[in-house]
């Protein structure tokens, strides 16, 4: 934004200019300070960054924006590094240069920068940054990378500074911790009494060689502290990079260091990742120097009447509380000296194996994979521990390149298959070392292949079918010529079936078939086949009788029937990869070949399964209301039908309706596909208030699945699996028609409806409908192309039960009848003339006039109908008495 060579000169003639620029830069510093404060302390994040004259305009999630500019300077350049490809774009234009999304191959940050007015990019061949042909618009620039934006701006002295601000996708929105969390030596929820208190003691002097160093006499030591599980949103938020504190409701900060570490395998930390891959974290605390032997049993408790109760804290991220005030730390008084030495027990030792599974209780043949593994020993009184190789095993470990650092063992590839004895050294909070029965045997895992050969993806589409075994048939993977291309030595090395296994990555979630410790076992799930003459699945392959090159197909069973299946509890559609792992015949089992086998699990679209019926008009489903007592119902059972060739049951379609003003429009009966409408929402003043409802239809392809058998019957898991394989329609409109919509009174003459005035006979009657010579004559109620004669039999003081006197199944009552219920409709007549009344008789309607001075009149005869749900309809004809 400001050139250090063109602006900061010492000539006296330019003092005024310098003062003006310094003022601008001081103002800029203030804005940047305010912005950083909002982000760090207020949890705000950047929603938009725009290049403007003089620099940038930065918009923030709280609705404010900042013009970070200096007058007369050029606009700042906005650089974006693509999260997936690493390609660099400047001001929206791709440069053809690439940076990694993290650090480069040479462990160098490849983020481009501005120097001397030009962009410098990292050249991998030169292993250094080189000047490019791209000119920088100004000295200020912003780099968008890995979910954050880094502003490079001058400070008040003109020197460039970097300000890192989170973007929307990287801003913390929520933290989920168990309610009523108590952190002690163990962790509990709901009640502090359920957690074992943290142990501590004053120690004896010990020349301890472990990671925490020598122990002085009366040094205060704290034992192991429990680990809590925590989930953040969004998943990619790096909790470990934030300042974490526990703060009580009065603003007091607990005297602990709060530590968050990635949790990928259910409370087990694996590898050295900086951030969690799935939003799951481990949370623990360490005591600060403020905690001493004299106050450890008091500092986390209240005072006065609350002296025996733990203080409740909220977890704060960068000073902002993200949880309720219900986190307690449970301690107890220090133990008396001397503290008895910890007795080594295999049950307390644990580690993560090559498949990412936690293994407990092993002292012999602890199988460590190539790479780094941390062993853990669980004991409330444990202060520190470390592993060493002693005697002949020390020399062997050095020769193999196996190293121990604390409780972490690093195994190089060259050491695969070897065995080493190791010693576990432990010291407790009293400074007492464990000296007996602390030897373990490490079995270093066989060699592994990091980059397998990949074959074409297998497409596995889950389709509905009356035969459930056809809904979830076996997965058949065609290996093609992948095995026949292996070298002769590899092929020759395979003589037994147990040298082959189908494995999925420990981190893979959602694959349709449940594995055992990530392996699809040969005996129950997986079978191998040769190809027949047509290249299709042929006879079963035998490791002892057939060469490895003849293995062509792998079949993995999914479902035997609706109640017996191998479906995983987290199964869902998606793209997955299985590995065919081939090992040598050694006891270690070195991998000699690995085939990556992608499997794409898909479902059809809703519209692939069902077609709209003729109840739809221009994409709108018409539903006529029908009564049940006085409830108003509609049916969705006629909305769809299965497409030709699709074995899907349209009666199993589920329907969901959008709310209106946050109120449900009705209650859906899943088994009958009937909807009982909420008349308070749909009706108003005896008419429809909302005639168009928004709905979606969904269908679970696994609806017929009756049990989850992966690890026993579990109804909750079964429902989750069915939901995962549910397909949904796009949103559509349901157009409501009231019960008697279209109903009316008509007068026929010679089969034709009279559209003009109907005469009242001399005897004061309008005759009800009759059909002399098959010609309609007289007054009728017409509904859905059917007629009912108006007379005292069909419109009576009580509702008839005789079907012959009903219209389309509906019975009619007059003004003396009770309120309509169910398939009943009440009718009242009016003429608009107070002295003229109407009633039914056996042959039609009788008009009575109480005013003899007006023997002739012309008026409107109106029929008012009211159905059982409370909707009112009117229909009229002109009548005349001469």
């Amino acid at each position: 934004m400001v050139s250090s060579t063109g602006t900061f000169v010492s000539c006296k003639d330019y003092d005024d200019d310098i003062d003006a620029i310094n003022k601008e830069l001081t103002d800029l510093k203030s804005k940047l300070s305010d912005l950083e404060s909002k982000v760090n302390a207020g949890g705000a994040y950047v929603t938009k960054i725009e290049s403007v004259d003089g620099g940038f305009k930065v918009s923030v999630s709280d609705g404010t924006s900042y013009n970070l500019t200096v007058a007369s300077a050029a606009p700042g350049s906005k650089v974006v590094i693509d999260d997936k490809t690493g390609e660099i774009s400047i001001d929206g234009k791709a440069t053809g240069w690439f940076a990694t999304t993290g650090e480069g191959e040479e462990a160098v940050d490849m983020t481009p920068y501005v120097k001397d007015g030009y962009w410098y990019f990292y050249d991998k061949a030169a292993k250094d940054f080189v000047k490019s042909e791209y000119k920088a618009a100004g000295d200020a620039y912003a780099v968008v990378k890995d979910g954050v934006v880094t502003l490079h701006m001058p400070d008040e002295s003109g020197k460039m500074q970097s300000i890192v601000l989170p973007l929307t996708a990287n801003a913390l929105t929520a933290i989920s911790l168990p309610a009523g969390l108590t952190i002690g030596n163990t962790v509990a929820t709901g009640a502090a009494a359920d957690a074992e208190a943290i142990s501590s003691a004053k120690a004896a002097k010990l020349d301890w060689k472990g990671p925490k160093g020598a122990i002085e006499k009366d040094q205060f030591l704290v034992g192991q502290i429990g680990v809590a599980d925590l989930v953040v949103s969004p998943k990619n938020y790096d909790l470990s990079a934030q300042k974490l504190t526990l703060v009580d409701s009065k603003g007091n900060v607990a005297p602990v260091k709060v530590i968050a570490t990635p949790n990928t395998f259910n409370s087990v930390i694996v590898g050295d990742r900086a951030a969690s891959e799935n939003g799951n974290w481990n949370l623990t605390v360490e005591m600060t120097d403020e905690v001493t032997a004299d106050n450890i049993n008091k500092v986390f408790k209240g005072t006065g009447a609350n002296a025996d109760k733990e203080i409740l804290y909220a977890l704060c991220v960068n000073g902002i509380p993200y949880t309720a005030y219900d986190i307690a730390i449970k301690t107890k008084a220090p133990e008396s000296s001397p503290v008895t030495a910890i007795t080594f027990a295999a049950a307390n030792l644990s580690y993560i194996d090559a498949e990412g599974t936690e293994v407990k209780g092993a002292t012999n043949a602890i199988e460590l994979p190539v790479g780094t593994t941390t062993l853990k020993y669980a004991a409330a009184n444990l202060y520190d521990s470390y592993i060493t190789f002693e005697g002949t095993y020390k020399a062997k470990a050095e020769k193999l390149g196996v190293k121990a650092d604390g409780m972490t063992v690093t195994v190089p590839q060259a050491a695969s298959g070897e065995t080493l004895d190791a010693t576990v050294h432990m010291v407790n909070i009293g400074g007492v070392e464990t000296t007996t029965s602390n030897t373990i045997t490490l079995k270093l895992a066989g060699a592994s292949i990091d980059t397998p050969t990949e074959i074409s993806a297998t497409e596995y589409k889950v389709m509905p079918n009356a035969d459930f075994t056809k809904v979830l048939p076996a997965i058949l993977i065609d290996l093609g010529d992948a095995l026949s291309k292996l070298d002769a030595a590899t092929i020759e090395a395979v003589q037994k079936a147990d040298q082959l296994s189908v494995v999925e990555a420990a981190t893979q979630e959602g694959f349709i078939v449940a594995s055992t410790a990530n392996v699809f076992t040969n005996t129950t799930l997986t079978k191998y086949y040769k190809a027949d003459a047509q290249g299709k699945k042929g006879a079963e392959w035998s490791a002892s009788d057939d060469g490895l090159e003849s293995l062509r197909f792998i079949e993995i069973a999914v479902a035997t029937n609706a109640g017996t299946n191998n479906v995983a509890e987290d199964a869902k559609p998606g793209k997955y990869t299985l590995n065919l792992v081939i090992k040598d015949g050694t006891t270690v089992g070195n991998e000699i070949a690995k085939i990556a086998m992608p499997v794409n699990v898909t479902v059809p679209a809703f519209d692939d399964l069902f077609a709209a019926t003729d109840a739809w008009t221009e994409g709108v489903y018409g539903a006529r209301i029908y009564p049940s007592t006085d409830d108003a119902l509609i049916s969705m059972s006629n909305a769809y039908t299965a497409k030709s060739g699709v074995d899907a049951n349209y009666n199993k379609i589920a329907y969901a309706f959008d709310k209106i003003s946050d109120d449900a429009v009705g209650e859906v009966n899943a088994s009958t596909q009937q909807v009982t409408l909420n008349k308070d929402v749909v009706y108003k003043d005896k008419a429809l208030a909302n005639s168009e409802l928004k709905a979606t239809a969904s269908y679970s392809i696994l609806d017929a699945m009756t049990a989850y058998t992966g690890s026993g019957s579990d109804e909750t898991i079964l429902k989750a699996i069915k939901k995962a394989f549910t397909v949904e329609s796009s949103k559509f409109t349901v157009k409501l028609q009231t019960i008697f919509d279209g109903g009316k009174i008509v007068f026929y003459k010679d089969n034709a409806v009279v559209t003009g005035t109907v005469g009242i006979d001399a005897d004061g009657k309008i005759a009800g409908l009759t059909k002399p010579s098959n010609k309609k004559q007289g007054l009728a109620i017409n509904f859905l192309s059917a007629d009912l004669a108006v007379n005292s039999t069909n419109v009576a003081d009580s509702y008839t039960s005789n079907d012959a006197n009903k219209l389309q199944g509906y019975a009619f009552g007059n003004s003396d009848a009770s309120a309509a219920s169910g398939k009943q409709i009440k009718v009242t007549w009016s003429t608009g003339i107070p002295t003229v009344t109407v009633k039914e008789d056996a042959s039609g309607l009788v008009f009575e006039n109480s005013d003899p001075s007006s023997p002739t009149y012309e008026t409107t005869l109106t029929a008012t109908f009211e159905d059982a749900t409370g909707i009112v309809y009117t229909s009229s004809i002109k009548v005349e008495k001469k």
Side-chain angles (χ1 to χ4, degrees), residues 592-617:
I592 56 177
K594 185 183 287 184
I595 310 297
M597 306 177 295
V599 179
N600 299 335
V601 181
T602 62
V603 293
F606 183 88
D607 292 341
D608 292 337
L609 302 178
F610 301 102
T613 65
D614 58 7
W616 296 70
T617 302

Side-chain angles (χ1 to χ4, degrees), residues 414-433:
S416 299
E418 298 288 342
T419 300
L420 288 169
D421 279 1
T423 301
V424 179
H425 303 267
M426 297 186 295
V427 65
N428 68 15
I429 54 178
V432 181
E433 185 174 359

Side-chain angles (χ1 to χ4, degrees), residues 452-648:
T453 301
E454 185 169 318
I455 63 173
S456 299
T458 297
E459 301 297 331
Y460 184 79
K461 194 167 189 175
V462 182
M463 288 289 290
N465 197 291
D467 180 354
F468 194 73
T469 60
K470 294 180 180 178
V471 178
L472 295 175
I475 299 171
L476 188 65
I477 299 173
D478 186 349
L479 295 170
D481 59 0
L483 297 182
S484 64
K485 285 184 175 181
L486 296 176
D487 61 85
T490 301
I491 293 174
E492 183 64 26
V494 179
Q495 301 294 326
K496 297 185 296 182
D498 62 6
Q499 290 179 246
L500 277 66
S501 58
V502 177
V503 181
E504 66 173 334
T507 55
Q508 181 164 284
E509 297 179 354
F511 185 62
I512 194 167
V513 186
S515 59
T516 302
N518 305 311
V519 178
F520 299 93
T521 56
N522 299 344
T523 54
T524 58
L525 291 180
T526 308
K527 293 184 178 181
Y528 302 108
Y529 293 91
K530 297 182 289 186
D532 61 14
Q534 288 73 42
K536 304 295 184 183
K537 173 185 155 187
E540 194 163 350
W541 178 83
S542 168
S544 57
D545 299 332
D546 304 310
L548 180 63
E549 74 280 1
S550 65
L551 173 56
R552 174 69 180 274
F553 294 96
I554 298 177
E555 186 177 79
I556 303 175
V558 182
T560 304
N561 55 53
T564 306
N565 58 76
N566 300 311
V567 179
E569 65 178 75
D570 62 347
K572 58 186 176 183
K575 293 184 177 182
Y576 304 94
T577 298
L578 309 181
N579 289 303
L580 173 62
V581 178
I582 304 171
K583 297 183 178 181
D584 60 22
T586 64
T587 56
V588 183
N590 295 296
E591 291 182 4
I592 56 177
K594 185 183 287 184
I595 310 297
M597 306 177 295
V599 179
N600 299 335
V601 181
T602 62
V603 293
F606 183 88
D607 292 341
D608 292 337
L609 302 178
F610 301 102
T613 65
D614 58 7
W616 296 70
T617 302
E618 296 182 353
V620 174
Y621 176 68
R624 185 179 287 274
I625 299 171
Y626 63 95
S628 175
T629 310
D630 61 349
D631 283 334
L633 289 77
I634 60 172
S635 175
M636 301 299 296
S637 61
N638 188 41
Y640 293 99
T641 186
K643 284 191 171 180
S644 177
V646 176
D647 197 357

Side-chain angles (χ1 to χ4, degrees), residues 31 77 85-86 119 129 143 157 224 271 276 424 503 514 523 532 551 605 649 683 699 716 722 764 816 840-841 844:
K31 289 179 179 178
S77 292
T85 67
W119 282 101
F129 282 90
V143 177
S157 66
Q224 288 186 333
S276 171
V424 179
V503 181
T523 54
D532 61 14
L551 173 56
N649 187 350
Y683 284 15
Y699 179 80
T716 301
K722 288 184 177 182
D816 292 328
E840 305 86 357
D841 74 356

Side-chain angles (χ1 to χ4, degrees), residues 69-280:
T69 61
V70 174
S72 75
S77 292
K78 181 179 176 182
V79 180
V80 176
I81 300 178
D82 189 280
D83 287 338
K84 295 181 179 178
T85 67
E87 183 170 12
I88 300 167
S89 297
I90 300 177
D91 295 330
K93 296 181 180 180
T95 64
W97 285 84
F98 289 81
T100 60
T101 55
E103 288 194 340
E105 297 171 2
E106 298 80 17
V108 174
D109 185 355
M110 294 183 177
T111 305
Y113 61 85
V114 174
K115 181 181 177 183
D116 303 328
Y118 283 86
W119 282 101
Y120 280 69
F121 298 121
Y122 190 80
D123 188 319
K124 292 186 178 181
K127 295 186 178 180
D128 199 359
F129 282 90
V130 297
K131 183 178 180 180
S132 75
E133 69 275 22
Y134 293 95
K135 286 187 176 182
D139 282 351
Y141 61 98
V143 177
V144 178
K145 173 187 173 187
D146 296 337
V148 298
V149 56
T150 304
L151 291 175
H152 298 269
M153 312 287 293
D155 62 16
E156 70 274 17
S157 66
K159 292 182 180 180
M160 297 301 291
Q161 59 176 316
S162 298
I163 303 96
V164 179
L165 304 170
L167 293 169
T168 305
N170 199 43
L172 180 63
T173 57
I175 282 182
S176 175
L177 265 176
L181 176 68
T182 298
I183 300 175
N185 164 243
T186 60
V187 171
T189 58
D194 294 335
E196 183 180 338
I198 297 168
S199 299
S200 61
K202 287 186 175 181
K205 182 179 178 62
L206 179 66
D207 186 18
W208 174 246
K209 304 299 184 183
K212 295 184 179 180
I215 299 171
E216 301 299 324
K217 185 179 186 325
D218 290 334
Q219 183 177 340
F220 180 58
L221 306 182
V222 177
Q224 288 186 333
I225 299 176
V227 179
D229 292 334
L230 173 152
V231 181
V232 299
S233 295
K235 291 181 179 180
N236 66 343
Y237 187 79
D238 188 358
L239 196 63
S240 63
Q242 316 308 317
K243 181 181 179 181
L244 305 179
T245 53
L246 294 179
V247 180
D248 67 19
S249 59
K250 296 180 180 179
N252 300 311
V253 180
V256 294
K257 178 183 178 182
V258 185
I259 304 165
T261 50
N263 170 0
T264 300
F265 299 110
N266 302 323
S267 300
V268 178
I269 306 170
V270 180
D272 56 358
R273 296 178 312 280
S276 171
E277 297 171 354
N278 55 13
N280 297 328

